[in-house]
Amino acid sequence: MIRQLVASYVLLVAVALAAFTVPVAFTLTGQVYGDAESAARREAHTAALLLATDDAPSRQALARLAEAYQEETPGRLDVLSAGRTAVAPLPPPADPDDPAFAEALAGREFLRWDHVSALGADGLVLAVPAESADGRVVGAVRIAYPSAPITQRLWQIWGFRAGLAVAVLVVAALLGVWLARRLTRPLRELNRMASRLRDGDLTARAEETGPPETRTLAGTLNTATETIGTLLGSQRAFIGDASHQLRTPLTALRLSLDNVADSVDDPYVREDVDHATAEVVRMSRLVNGLLTLARAESAVAAAEPVKVADVVSDRFGAWRAAADERGVALRHEAADPSLRVLAGPGHLEQVLDNVLSNAVEVSPDDGVIVVRTFREGDKGVVEVVDQGPGMSPADQSRAFDRFWRGPGLTGRSGTGLGLAIVKQLVSDDGGSVGLDTAETGGLLVRVVLRACP
């Protein structure tokens, strides 16, 4: 917006300069050429009066005038008698067959900007007749003046004006930047507030300054943020209460079933008790998964830089024992060992825990789980590849749904919330997650997060 405002302001100034300068340009150019014609006409008529006075002093004065004109200007003054001969004591004129002399000897003034044969350059040719007291044409005076000095003068004038115009545009641009930044400062404040909200900082508030429209918008956003904070606080309180109220009775029920199993000798009754115990365990896991998902949805924490290699190494250490029991190898392929991404506290750890849990469970004995980390532009990518049975495209499209359990190995004991939690955490951090078929035939989980510069 600042660039657009500055560009608009500079464009208006440029249009104003052009509207003022172009008409002046034509007027000034015409004036310069008109001044040159007037000066040449004065010199020519003075020489014509001296030529028409047929006496020795006048001819001497005419000779001095022609000599002075050629010394003081880049042009020349030539005189031709009515008989087309030189006028003593002046030298013969250059190019006596010039049409300008013919027009002047015919009693007419000749003026033209064209190529001047007497000078061998472009310029002004002016010829006037010299008439005696009785009206007879006794000769002609021709002034030849090159256009190069006039052109140079015009370039100097317009060079100065162009430099002045550039200086005005630079000043206009600087003023435009100052004005634009001042006008858009309330919008930048709102953008900073929105960025802090995106990163999970619910204490962000916008300063209610600027025009009435931005003050109203800032007040509305501040009120909405307070409302969101209140709702999230209520949800967190509910999560805490639910955690206490649901876990305690499930734990007590499992202990009671264990006691019943220890005191029952009937195998059929023991089988029923074991089945009930398994369902209680599954319900406990389901409750824990729901609470984890609810916390992920409600507690939006500010993203912070996280070194991916350190997190992968830490989670490999946590899952090494479980993988070794199956003979599964864990391997990290880091194209950029210093890669850092923006993620909430503990989010990337939870994402890897859920993905590695599924990968270890579905991997065959002596299989390999590969975690690849690399940078793509301004994104950081984490890919987890296993050698399990994989998923069909239809199953991949449903894998992030809550409570959905696939027909594979994880479907029998899973809660159907692991990948839903992964998706929620990654989305909170401004990233994305997807599934694909790996080149090994297993499943490829691709997590994309914002990378740090």
Side-chain angles (χ1 to χ4, degrees), residues 251-265 270 273-274 277:
T251 302
L253 179 58
R254 180 175 179 180
L255 290 174
S256 298
L257 290 173
D258 289 341
N259 292 332
V260 171
D262 292 338
S263 61
V264 172
D265 296 328
R270 181 180 292 275
V273 172
D274 290 342
T277 301

Side-chain angles (χ1 to χ4, degrees), residues 52 74 111 118 154 194 263 266 269 283 290 311 407:
L111 188 149
L154 288 174
S263 61
D266 189 336
V269 176
M283 187 177 296
L290 284 172
V311 175

